[in-house]
Amino acid sequence: MTKFEIEEKIVAMLKTVYDPEIPVDVYNLGLIYKIDVTDDFDISVDMTLTAPNCPAAEFIMEDVRQKLESIEGVKSATVNLVFEPEWDKDMMSEEAKLELGFL
């Protein structure tokens, strides 16, 4: 499997992770800032939350890690929580904005 194929699987898997309070996945919410894949298929993801004091933070991050590690060929996944730049609704995909009534 190539890095490109793994990256496609990563994005597809991230679209299955939801904040329990918002009916849109973390990828389309714009919470994923960076995805790095090494030649050995170790994954590192920088992500943020819609609010720094999100009560579901640990649940969401663990869900991301477990789902990424379930992808065939992935050795490990590290999820880094970052707050720079600060998230705002403009980071959402058009699909997410439509779903949440921002369009």
Side-chain angles (χ1 to χ4, degrees):
M1 190 171 305
T2 67
K3 279 175 84 169
F4 179 75
E5 291 169 325
I6 288 282
E7 288 169 357
E8 286 184 324
K9 289 179 184 278
I10 290 168
V11 170
M13 192 61 78
L14 289 170
K15 290 182 177 182
T16 70
V17 178
Y18 289 79
D19 180 320
E21 298 177 346
I22 304 172
V24 177
D25 65 83
V26 296
Y27 189 82
N28 282 302
L29 275 173
L31 300 180
I32 305 301
Y33 286 172
K34 185 169 91 173
I35 301 169
D36 284 327
V37 180
T38 68
D39 291 338
D40 293 331
F41 299 133
D42 290 309
I43 301 170
S44 177
V45 173
D46 287 357
M47 70 172 291
T48 194
L49 302 168
T50 56
N53 57 351
C54 174
E58 286 187 38
F59 169 81
I60 295 168
M61 291 177 60
E62 184 62 14
D63 196 22
V64 168
R65 189 191 63 75
Q66 286 180 1
K67 287 186 174 180
L68 294 180
E69 286 185 346
S70 76
I71 298 170
E72 185 179 340
V74 169
K75 281 189 171 179
S76 69
T78 303
V79 181
N80 305 302
L81 185 60
V82 298
F83 291 104
E84 293 292 325
E86 187 176 333
W87 180 87
D88 70 37
K89 65 181 172 59
D90 292 333
M91 295 174 169
M92 292 189 289
S93 69
E94 295 297 313
E95 176 184 323
K97 288 177 184 174
L98 186 62
E99 176 74 26
L100 296 174
F102 288 114
L103 288 180

